[in-house]
């Protein structure tokens, strides 16, 4: 029996300006399938400010508002308050920002939004650099990556900091629901979005969205890279519901070099650096498993 | 010419992006080999350009490509479990 595993309705139109094999457009397509037409979306400066198209075109069949780089959180708080005062509680309000607009520039607005407890969904699509402006490093860029501001040459080196753990920052606010997702697992992403629509209060998502242009990878590999990021433990898929961790995918570990060497941004890494990175991801994974185990304790109750 | 009172304060995008034929970007064209298709619709699921449509999955209809919008990224061909999609080089018309 042939069956579609994700909703059939398309709320995103073709003809958008996304690059070939763009992970961010895949993420938006899946998110809109889950959220439905009664959704308002606010987008700061990021790839998605360009993707809908040049004026007067737009690929969105729902209202979308462009906002400044640092205020996605404040913007969706305002939209929610305005809708509530008009009695429109059934509209989903979504903030859709890139990783730079979330982990670096927009983090105070995000923090304020969660603290105030608005009933909104904040989705950060993570392509691990400022891709729209020309591949500059962001707080979300992983160790070892080439970007235009961390060039690899004789005198300069690759990105030397580890990827910022945004989920832990967000979870520290004790919000009702936060989750990571990946475009490689659309069913999982859609299931989580449907689930979070039932939960009142602020919700947060970090979606892994490969970027062939910035990662110097082949466009047809986008989904494969997202899948490999999960299996190599570089980007684990988990959710935190009322403070309780749950790892949604615990696949067999695959060698990290298989994932790194498909991307031009990691091609320069010598073997010992790959091993160092692998050890770091393994450590993070173990810590995550422990967190999952610890937070299952019933005596803790719900954090929020 | 409109006066400033007549125009909206912020520009509004209200023309559907179907007006933009992004198919012109394409170098490689995905072509389905119908005999190999097992109707899993993975190609439809992965397409970032919404260029693949499925009429009725219950009746096992074949996925259909809209070459006006397909950018030729090759995700569908790569993800196809049966290698039923072939990437063919576009020839100058």
């Amino acid at each position: 029996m042939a069956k579609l595993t994700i909703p059939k309705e398309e709320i995103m139109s073709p003809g958008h300006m996304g690059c070939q094999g763009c992970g961010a457009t895949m993420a938006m397509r899946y998110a809109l399938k889950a959220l439905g037409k009664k959704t308002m979306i606010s987008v700061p400066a990021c790839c998605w400010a360009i993707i809908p198209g040049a004026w007067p075109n737009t690929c969105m069949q729902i209202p979308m508002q462009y906002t400044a780089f640092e205020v996605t959180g404040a913007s969706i708080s305002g939209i929610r308050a305005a809708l509530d005062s008009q009695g429109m509680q059934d509209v989903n309000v979504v903030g859709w920002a890139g990783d730079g607009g979330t982990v670096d520039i927009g983090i105070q607005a995000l923090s304020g939004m969660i603290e105030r407890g608005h009933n909104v969904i904040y989705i950060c699509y993570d392509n691990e650099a400022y891709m729209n402006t020309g591949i500059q490093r962001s707080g979300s860029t992983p160790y070892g990556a080439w970007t235009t501001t961390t060039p690899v040459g004789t005198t300069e080196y690759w990105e030397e900091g580890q990827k910022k753990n945004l989920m832990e920052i967000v979870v520290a606010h004790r919000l009702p629901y936060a989750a990571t997702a990946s475009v490689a697992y659309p069913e999982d992403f859609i299931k989580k979005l449907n689930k979070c629509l039932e939960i009142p209060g602020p919700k947060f998502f970090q979606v892994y969205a490969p970027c062939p242009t910035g990662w110097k990878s082949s466009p047809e590999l986008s989904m494969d890279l997202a899948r490999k990021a999960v299996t190599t433990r570089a980007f684990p898929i988990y959710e935190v519901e009322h403070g309780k961790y749950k790892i949604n995918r615990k696949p067999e570990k695959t060698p990290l070099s298989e994932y790194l060497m498909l991307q031009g941004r990691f091609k320069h890494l010598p073997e010992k650096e790959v091993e160092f990175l692998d050890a770091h991801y393994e450590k993070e994974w173990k810590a995550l498993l422990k967190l999952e185990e610890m937070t299952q304790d019933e005596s803790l109750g719900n954090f929020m | 010419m409109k006066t400033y009172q007549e125009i909206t304060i912020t520009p509004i995008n209200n023309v559907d992006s179907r007006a933009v034929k992004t198919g012109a970007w394409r170098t490689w064209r995905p072509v389905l080999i119908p005999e190999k298709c097992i109707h899993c619709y993975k190609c439809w699921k992965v397409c970032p350009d919404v260029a693949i449509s499925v009429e009725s999955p219950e009746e096992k209809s074949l996925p259909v490509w809209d070459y006006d919008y397909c950018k030729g990224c090759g995700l569908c061909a790569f993800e196809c479990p049966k290698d039923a999609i072939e990437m063919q080089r576009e020839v100058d018309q």
Side-chain angles (χ1 to χ4, degrees):
Chain A
M1 175 65 193
K3 223 174 84 199
L4 300 179
T5 50
I6 56 174
K8 195 174 176 216
E9 191 189 16
E10 303 286 359
I11 305 176
M12 195 177 91
S13 298
H16 59 71
M17 292 288 119
C19 300
Q20 291 165 321
C22 174
T25 52
M26 288 157 83
M28 180 64 99
R29 183 173 167 231
Y30 301 143
L32 291 182
K33 276 173 186 289
L35 295 164
K37 281 212 163 175
K38 276 216 153 190
T39 302
M40 276 181 88
I41 208 157
S42 181
V43 176
C46 63
C47 281
W48 255 100
I50 306 296
I51 292 170
W55 187 86
N57 296 314
T58 177
C59 71
M60 307 289 272
Q61 294 162 27
I62 54 162
M64 171 174 163
Q65 188 218 359
Y66 290 107
T67 183
F69 217 150
E70 64 278 29
V71 295
T72 321
S75 160
I76 51 177
S77 308
I79 294 172
R80 179 81 265 170
L83 286 173
D84 283 353
S85 73
Q86 292 177 45
M88 291 194 263
Q89 261 90 9
D90 57 339
V91 179
N92 306 319
V93 180
V94 178
W96 185 272
D99 57 289
T102 307
V103 305
D104 299 340
I105 299 176
I107 198 156
Q108 62 84 16
L110 169 66
S111 178
M113 177 211 93
I114 302 173
E115 192 196 320
R116 291 188 299 270
H118 298 279
N119 184 20
V120 291
I121 305 168
Y122 191 110
I123 304 177
C124 161
Y125 65 96
D126 189 356
N127 46 28
E128 304 195 319
Y130 290 87
M131 295 310 180
N132 180 32
T133 49
I135 325 169
Q136 289 88 7
R137 77 162 285 284
S138 78
S140 198
T141 307
Y143 176 85
W146 164 92
T147 65
T148 50
T149 46
T150 54
V152 178
T154 47
T155 53
E156 293 201 65
Y157 293 99
W158 46 78
E159 164 66 22
E160 286 176 323
Q162 292 288 1
K163 185 181 169 97
K164 196 188 273 187
N165 196 333
L166 179 61
M167 273 297 277
E168 283 193 7
I169 299 173
V170 170
V171 171
H173 290 79
R174 303 290 175 247
L175 78 173
Y177 190 83
T180 63
S182 171
V183 294
Y185 303 99
E187 292 87 0
D188 170 76
F189 182 29
I190 288 173
K191 202 177 101 192
K192 284 177 184 166
L193 273 168
N194 284 333
K195 183 178 177 182
C196 90
L197 288 178
E198 309 291 316
I199 304 169
K203 278 87 66 174
F204 178 83
F205 278 83
Q206 188 177 8
V207 186
Y208 199 67
C211 169
T213 309
W215 295 8
K216 306 284 170 223
S217 59
S218 198
E220 76 268 18
L221 296 176
S222 289
M223 205 156 197
D224 195 41
L225 282 173
R227 205 177 295 126
K228 284 200 165 85
V230 177
T231 56
T232 57
R233 323 272 196 240
F235 191 88
I237 301 289
Y238 60 102
E239 59 185 339
V240 187
E241 196 180 349
H242 298 291
K244 290 204 188 325
Y245 281 71
K246 185 173 180 254
I247 305 174
N248 304 102
R249 289 278 185 284
K250 288 179 185 170
E252 288 273 311
K253 170 130 170 74
T254 57
L256 185 64
S257 57
E258 275 177 23
Y259 163 67
L260 298 184
M261 292 309 145
L262 289 173
Q263 305 169 50
R265 62 173 182 159
F266 287 119
K267 278 260 162 72
H268 53 269
L269 280 187
E271 205 163 302
K272 75 172 203 314
E273 297 292 342
V274 175
E275 276 167 23
F276 169 74
L277 201 52
D278 198 22
H280 174 77
Y281 288 148
E282 200 54 39
K283 211 161 65 186
E284 294 265 329
W285 174 254
K286 278 190 186 136
L288 194 62
L289 286 174
K290 280 261 182 262
L291 267 174
E292 188 191 26
E293 200 187 315
M294 266 159 53
T295 52
Q296 294 312 310
D297 191 350
E298 284 302 317
S299 65
L300 284 173
N302 284 351
F303 277 124
M304 193 175 157
Chain B
M1 192 73 185
K2 285 179 181 174
T3 64
Y4 77 94
Q5 288 113 327
E6 285 165 332
I7 58 169
T8 45
I9 300 165
T10 50
I12 292 172
N13 299 24
N14 52 8
V15 179
D16 194 277
S17 65
R18 282 191 179 86
V20 187
K21 306 278 191 236
T22 48
W25 302 12
R26 191 174 58 244
T27 316
W28 297 89
R29 169 187 286 249
V31 178
L32 179 74
I33 307 162
E35 308 85 68
K36 285 193 184 175
C37 181
I38 54 161
H39 320 282
C40 67
Y41 306 120
K42 263 194 180 162
C43 47
W44 167 81
K45 195 167 79 177
V46 300
C47 184
D49 287 294
V50 208
I52 305 174
S53 57
V54 177
E55 196 59 48
S56 66
E58 294 79 21
E59 288 162 29
K60 296 193 173 181
S61 62
L62 290 172
V64 180
W65 274 255
D66 190 338
Y67 293 109
D68 278 348
Y69 306 109
C70 168
K71 291 171 188 158
C73 64
L75 259 165
C76 50
F78 187 85
E79 293 296 325
C80 180
K82 292 287 166 189
D83 290 329
I85 302 160
E86 206 176 273
M87 297 303 284
Q88 294 175 359
R89 178 93 196 198
E90 289 281 344
V91 194
D92 292 328
Q93 298 296 321

